[in-house]
Amino acid sequence: MQTHEISSRFLNHFTRNGHTLVPSASLIFEDPNLLFVNAGMVQFKPYFLGQAPPPYDRATSVQKCVRTGDIDEVGKTTRHNTFFQMAGNFSFGDYFKAGAIEFAWSLITNGVTDGGYGFDPDRLWATVYDDDDEAFELWRKIAGLPEERIQRRDGKDNYWDMGVPGPGGPCSEIYYDRGPEHGRDGGPVADEDRYLEIWNLVFMQDERGELSPKAGHKPIGSLPTKNIDTGMGIERVATLLQGVDNVYETDLVRPVIGKAEEMSGRRYGSGSHVDDVRFRVIADHARSGMMLIADGVTPGNEARGYVLRRLLRRIVRSVRLLGVTEPVLGEFAAVVRDTMSPSYPELASDFPRIESIMRKEEETFLSTLASGSRIFDLAADQLKSEGHAQLPGDKAFQLHDTYGFPIDLTLEMAAEKGLTVDETGFRELMAEQRARAKADAAARKTGHGDQTVYRDLLAQGATEFLGYETLSAEATVRGLVREGARVRRAAEGEIVEVILDRTPLYAESGGQESDAGTITGPGVELEVLDVQKVARKLWVHRVRVRSGEIVEGLNVEALVDPEWRIGARQGHSGTHVVHAALREVLGPTALQSGSYNKPGYLRLDFAWSGALSSDTRSEIEEVSNLAVRKDLPVKVVYTDMGGAQELGAVALFGETYDETVRVVEIGGPWSRELCGGTHVEHSSQIGPITLIGESSVGSGSRRLEAYVGMDAMRYLAKERALVQNLATLLKVPGDEVPARVEALVDRLRGAEKELEKLRAGQLLSSAGTLADKAEDVDGTALVALQVPDGVGGNDLRSLAVEVRNRLGSRSGVVALFSTDGDKVAFVVATTATARDNGIAAGKLVPSFVSAIEGRGGGKPDMAQGGGANPGGVAEAVTALRKALTSA
């Protein structure tokens, strides 16, 4: 049975049994505790926690998941994956243990012709939480399992939570006995390789605190209702139903390995465990990388971007170790697209953008490998010249951390040069880095207890948002919150959160800032400072009480600042226009990956690999303003996600959408995006759009900034005034200012070059004097001194060579030092006679470099370097003199 059919059978089974089909959430989800979605229940957490009323009693989904905690273990075993699909069924206060067991058992044991998976019931086992007698008896009653095939396990195995404060509960797991050839008898407690877990039924009833019940700690409370959360591993079921040994050999993963075999000429499963690990890394990470990019992640040096970069670079590294040196990521991407797009069509429709990002990252990494190799070669040569045979751990860590150079390539290259690597030191530094990262992550994590204050308010229903139709509305104060606690009233000068039953004030979302405005009532006036959503349903107004006293239950009027709203509409509609212009000029792969807009200003991030030329920026600006001049109609359409996709609407990366979505059109299909923001009614109301900047925000991502409306006009007025002032100063017409400035710059550069020549000539003219003052050190003429401050590296080398030439056939050493602030540079040069006598510049450096707290090296005729202690130059000269004495 193919993997796509396994997924469809699961969803069909549960929709037939009254479950609402819910599409997979994006891997990027609005949750402070998660880098990526790592379980099927993530998008349902607000319902489990009672933060929002569920829109259905039963749901089912196949959720794409990424777990990155065991990246280093991927491939070493066949049990670790970063990307996987979790099929689940969920009950929100509806059925509980009996229903979950019945639904699961019928699906896995029903015959294939009846829509099931057809597993042999005699090969199925179940585990339950230690004291869960109810689940134990239900397995006997519903499934007919004998007692010996139902095993009890402690919280480490049979209690589930997300590893952070939130929902959890005891669980019951279903295992399949693969047979004695896979391990020993005794059930899951004896051997989890032979007995493969395929489904986990979580009886979601607890709320855990900072300490997990998995480790024996008590929950901090009960959830408002008893719920069901299950997770069936699609890939694991595919392994069993396809009769293969592990997930890497299933129909959606094995083709990637096949492509790697084709490119490398090596074979998976041919007996080399090391090669098999590399094949598995390639297959796993290619899928994960594709799915992350499809959901809007771009390679970078922090958080999600860093994880993606690491995954892609591990592919390149593994392929290189298989003997392939040409670019490969595009080839693997095409295979993943062909195998996965039946379930995830965006992999095909968005393939040009995804492939472009992967190729660019590969080019960057290959360049990094080249530069890292050069750095390694310099370090290795210096070590060997100093008689050392081991690369220090801090050097290996620097290559890995600063240059992205993999440790296994460092080990391989060191072996080729007859060196070893201090792996212990490297691992210790890596462990310290991981500990810091975990500490930072833990510090950023927050539980869900701080949102429990809104539960009662959410139970009263969602806030009615009226801001699309009106700027004012009468409302009732449902509740007041101050510092995480409900209060009944707030007095003048206090800052408090106000929850209304209805509001015209826009809550920050979709890149748009919240509205400014006021809330007034009998004897009270509030200044609105911010508006945020809780559980995407409750509008929370953060206010300052200007006068009077606000009390719960008061009838008030909420007012949006009309000038603010005009500017906000211009900024958000301008963002859509610039995005459409961007795609028109650069092509459909230039998709928005993030945005921010406020009155008069917009910022748009988009996937692109290189800087835009001035002509391209001008063209984008012109296309944008032409759209404004055309007075294009702005239309809003409400539909479901399927209808939006049929319209060709652009869904933005990382955004979460409701079942009913809002599509904003500007000029019909020219700009059609899913958006909940406030917009103008015709494009001409945006006013002029002026691009003010274009920059990089990470590998494969660029940023455009622009002013719109009156802010654009003010910006242009300042630019005009600047040009007029320059024209007056230069005494030329305004249109001649650029040419005159360019001429002045050319003259200035010419003058600087002449000054540089004069200075260099003056410096070199002192070479003869310096050579004449050489001191004799055991038969070697030594010129060692500090030259005037500010002499740069090139001039220092030139002077050292000239002094060396003036020493003629004598055995001579020239060592010149130059300081600049808290830095010091040096050059050491030797004459041919000195080198014949065994004196090498590169070998002299270690004798004095510690005095200036520096490092350096080079060849026998010349060496150079730098340091951080200018005050140590005199000591360095003394050390060099001593080295020549003992040479």
Side-chain angles (χ1 to χ4, degrees):
M1 187 180 296
Q2 299 298 293
T3 301
H4 298 303
E5 183 180 351
I6 294 170
S7 297
S8 63
R9 281 176 178 257
F10 186 95
L11 297 175
N12 290 338
H13 174 74
F14 283 100
T15 53
R16 283 196 306 268
N17 284 283
H19 292 67
T20 298
L21 175 58
V22 180
S24 171
S26 168
L27 287 167
I28 308 171
F29 199 72
E30 298 176 5
D31 190 312
N33 293 320
L34 298 175
L35 200 61
F36 303 112
V37 168
N38 64 355
M41 56 74 65
V42 169
Q43 64 175 314
F44 304 112
K45 279 171 64 177
Y47 311 144
F48 288 131
L49 285 166
Q51 295 171 348
Y56 27 66
D57 294 330
R58 304 178 176 191
T60 185
S61 71
V62 174
Q63 174 65 49
K64 48 191 176 184
C65 302
V66 166
R67 293 180 184 171
T68 58
D70 295 318
I71 287 180
D72 291 327
E73 298 303 314
V74 170
K76 296 178 182 177
T77 73
T78 58
R79 296 173 58 187
H80 289 90
N81 295 102
T82 52
F83 173 80
F84 58 95
Q85 301 171 91
M86 187 63 72
N89 59 288
F90 309 91
S91 166
F92 309 103
D94 187 11
Y95 61 84
F96 198 47
K97 294 180 182 180
I101 292 172
E102 170 61 37
F103 284 135
W105 187 256
S106 60
L107 175 60
I108 60 177
T109 60
N110 281 353
V112 173
T113 56
D114 296 325
Y117 294 138
F119 281 107
D120 181 356
D122 292 335
R123 302 184 73 169
L124 295 172
W125 292 60
T127 61
V128 298
Y129 188 52
D130 264 339
D131 58 0
D132 195 346
D133 296 332
E134 181 185 5
F136 191 97
E137 290 303 319
L138 286 171
W139 279 114
R140 293 182 59 197
K141 177 181 177 182
I142 294 172
L145 284 178
E147 290 188 12
E148 61 269 19
R149 296 220 311 272
I150 309 171
Q151 297 185 323
R152 297 179 185 267
R153 307 186 81 170
D154 61 17
K156 181 180 178 182
D157 292 297
N158 274 65
Y159 191 95
W160 189 92
D161 60 42
M162 295 187 64
V164 293
C171 60
S172 185
E173 297 171 330
I174 304 173
Y175 289 80
Y176 180 81
D177 181 1
R178 303 168 71 193
E181 65 273 21
H182 291 279
R184 54 200 175 100
D185 287 333
V189 298
D191 192 330
E192 289 196 8
D193 284 327
R194 170 174 171 173
Y195 300 90
L196 185 68
E197 179 195 343
I198 58 174
W199 205 333
N200 187 12
L201 314 180
V202 181
F203 309 132
M204 191 79 71
Q205 61 190 41
D206 303 327
E207 183 170 358
R208 65 151 278 188
E210 291 296 331
L211 301 176
S212 174
K214 291 174 70 71
H217 302 283
K218 295 292 185 182
I220 61 173
S222 298
L223 296 177
T225 58
K226 291 184 176 181
N227 312 297
I228 288 296
D229 156 35
T230 84
M232 187 192 84
I234 293 289
E235 285 80 5
R236 289 196 177 187
V237 172
T239 298
L240 298 173
L241 294 182
Q242 293 173 19
V244 295
D245 187 61
N246 56 69
V247 297
Y248 294 99
E249 298 172 12
T250 57
D251 60 318
L252 298 189
V253 186
R254 187 61 173 83
V256 183
I257 293 178
K259 174 57 70 173
E261 289 177 318
E262 175 187 323
M263 300 179 76
S264 67
R266 303 191 192 183
R267 291 290 171 265
Y268 177 71
S270 62
S272 171
H273 176 70
V274 173
D275 279 358
D276 286 352
V277 169
R278 293 164 185 163
F279 280 120
R280 293 174 194 144
V281 167
I282 294 165
D284 175 86
H285 291 2
R287 296 207 316 158
S288 302
M290 282 279 286
M291 300 305 294
L292 289 174
I293 296 172
D295 276 359
V297 184
T298 55
N301 292 324
E302 295 181 356
R304 297 181 178 112
Y306 178 73
V307 172
L308 174 59
R309 169 162 285 169
R310 188 177 176 200
L311 291 170
L312 297 181
R313 292 188 171 191
R314 277 171 61 87
I315 298 173
V316 177
R317 177 201 68 189
S318 298
V319 172
R320 181 185 176 100
L321 293 173
L322 287 173
V324 182
T325 56
E326 66 267 18
V328 297
L329 290 186
E331 300 284 344
F332 294 136
V335 176
V336 175
R337 173 200 61 196
D338 294 342
T339 57
M340 297 291 290
S341 58
S343 291
Y344 305 100
E346 64 270 21
L347 295 180
S349 60
D350 202 19
F351 184 71
R353 182 190 67 86
I354 297 171
E355 184 191 34
S356 173
I357 291 174
M358 293 181 77
R359 287 186 182 277
K360 178 63 178 178
E361 179 62 20
E362 183 167 24
E363 291 170 5
T364 302
F365 186 44
L366 290 174
S367 174
T368 296
L369 287 177
S371 60
S373 297
R374 289 192 294 271
I375 294 166
F376 171 83
D377 288 340
L378 286 173
D381 290 343
Q382 180 176 348
L383 285 170
K384 296 183 76 172
S385 69
E386 296 170 359
H388 300 301
Q390 185 178 66
L391 185 74
D394 60 347
K395 173 60 72 173
F397 179 76
Q398 180 190 18
L399 284 166
H400 171 85
D401 191 54
T402 305
Y403 301 100
F405 209 62
I407 182 61
D408 45 7
L409 283 184
T410 301
L411 292 168
E412 182 181 293
M413 294 173 64
E416 291 173 356
K417 288 184 173 288
L419 298 171
T420 60
V421 178
D422 176 15
E423 289 189 69
T424 300
F426 171 80
R427 306 290 177 196
E428 288 174 352
L429 290 169
M430 285 294 293
E432 291 175 10
Q433 185 187 63
R434 289 194 187 100
R436 287 193 299 270
K438 286 182 179 179
D440 291 343
R444 288 194 299 270
K445 286 182 177 180
T446 58
H448 298 270
D450 58 347
Q451 289 195 1
T452 57
V453 68
Y454 303 109
R455 281 182 181 172
D456 292 342
L457 296 168
L458 281 162
Q460 298 176 41
T463 302
E464 183 183 3
F465 177 62
L466 304 171
Y468 296 137
E469 299 84 25
T470 182
L471 297 182
S472 65
E474 294 182 354
T476 301
V477 177
R478 276 191 184 169
L480 303 173
V481 176
R482 183 175 56 217
E483 297 179 354
R486 289 284 295 274
V487 294
R488 293 298 177 186
R489 59 188 69 243
E492 184 174 330
E494 291 188 75
I495 293 177
V496 66
E497 293 177 355
V498 177
I499 294 86
L500 305 177
D501 62 340
R502 56 211 306 260
T503 182
L505 290 143
Y506 183 82
E508 180 182 355
S509 61
Q512 180 178 332
E513 271 199 3
S514 62
D515 278 332
T518 58
I519 299 174
T520 60
V524 64
E525 182 180 359
L526 314 175
E527 176 190 1
V528 178
L529 306 174
D530 187 26
V531 189
Q532 296 291 329
K533 295 180 188 178
V534 170
R536 296 167 56 197
K537 294 182 180 296
L538 206 65
W539 266 241
V540 177
H541 308 74
R542 186 168 177 267
V543 304
R544 177 184 289 110
V545 183
R546 283 180 176 170
S547 61
E549 184 181 61
I550 184 71
V551 296
E552 193 173 295
L554 188 68
N555 292 326
V556 296
E557 184 179 18
L559 300 149
V560 178
D561 181 333
E563 286 299 315
W564 178 279
R565 175 61 73 83
I566 288 172
R569 294 166 72 196
Q570 289 175 318
H572 205 150
S573 296
T575 304
H576 284 224
V577 166
V578 172
H579 186 205
L582 189 71
R583 299 183 71 208
E584 181 176 320
V585 173
L586 298 181
T589 62
L591 283 173
Q592 177 181 325
S593 57
S595 69
Y596 168 74
N597 57 80
K598 63 180 181 178
Y601 170 84
L602 68 88
R603 184 181 74 209
L604 186 149
D605 297 343
F606 61 100
W608 200 252
S609 58
L612 305 184
S613 68
S614 58
D615 288 343
T616 299
R617 293 196 300 271
S618 296
E619 186 178 359
I620 293 168
E621 187 177 74
E622 182 172 354
V623 171
S624 299
N625 283 296
L626 282 173
V628 171
R629 191 183 71 178
K630 289 178 181 178
D631 196 27
L632 300 173
V634 178
K635 179 181 177 183
V636 174
V637 177
Y638 289 91
T639 181
D640 58 18
M641 199 65 184
Q645 290 171 344
E646 289 179 8
L647 288 172
V650 176
L652 303 183
F653 300 125
E655 290 291 328
T656 302
Y657 300 99
D658 295 322
E659 290 185 33
T660 299
V661 295
R662 185 172 183 260
V663 179
V664 176
E665 297 181 348
I666 302 178
W670 185 72
S671 172
R672 189 175 275 155
E673 298 186 17
L674 274 68
C675 181
T678 59
H679 289 274
V680 299
E681 295 170 357
H682 292 269
S683 64
S684 60
Q685 295 172 343
I686 297 171
I689 297 174
T690 300
L691 298 186
I692 60 171
E694 190 265 339
S695 58
S696 170
V697 286
S699 176
S701 186
R702 308 293 299 178
R703 170 171 292 171
L704 280 176
E705 295 178 272
Y707 287 134
V708 299
M710 289 301 298
D711 287 83
M713 297 195 63
R714 294 186 187 102
Y715 175 79
L716 293 173
K718 289 181 181 178
E719 293 285 294
R720 181 179 61 191
L722 176 62
V723 172
Q724 288 175 342
N725 290 338
L726 286 172
T728 301
L729 184 64
L730 298 172
K731 299 179 180 179
V732 297
D735 59 356
E736 293 183 15
V737 166
R740 178 57 63 90
V741 171
E742 185 177 0
L744 287 173
V745 170
D746 287 343
R747 286 174 58 187
L748 180 61
R749 286 173 178 165
E752 287 176 345
K753 287 181 180 179
E754 289 300 318
L755 286 172
E756 180 69 20
K757 288 180 181 179
L758 290 172
R759 193 177 65 80
Q762 185 179 26
L763 186 64
L764 292 176
S765 67
S766 65
T769 302
L770 294 177
D772 292 341
K773 293 181 178 180
E775 62 176 304
D776 183 273
V777 179
D778 281 358
T780 295
L782 173 64
V783 179
L785 53 91
Q786 180 177 336
V787 302
D789 292 348
V791 176
N794 290 332
D795 289 341
L796 200 63
R797 281 193 301 273
S798 298
L799 180 59
V801 170
E802 187 64 23
V803 174
R804 180 178 65 184
N805 292 341
R806 296 299 181 93
L807 293 177
S809 60
R810 287 186 286 173
S811 175
V813 173
V814 181
L816 303 181
F817 299 82
S818 174
T819 61
D820 183 7
D822 59 355
K823 296 180 180 179
V824 56
F826 68 83
V827 174
V828 180
T830 58
T831 63
T833 304
R835 295 193 295 276
D836 290 342
N837 293 335
I839 300 174
K843 292 185 178 180
L844 289 173
V845 171
S847 67
F848 66 82
V849 75
S850 61
I852 57 172
E853 299 177 10
R855 59 192 307 170
K859 298 179 180 180
D861 63 327
M862 181 172 289
Q864 61 189 48
N869 180 23
V873 171
E875 182 183 346
V877 171
T878 299
L880 176 60
R881 188 180 294 114
K882 182 178 180 181
L884 286 175
T885 301
S886 59

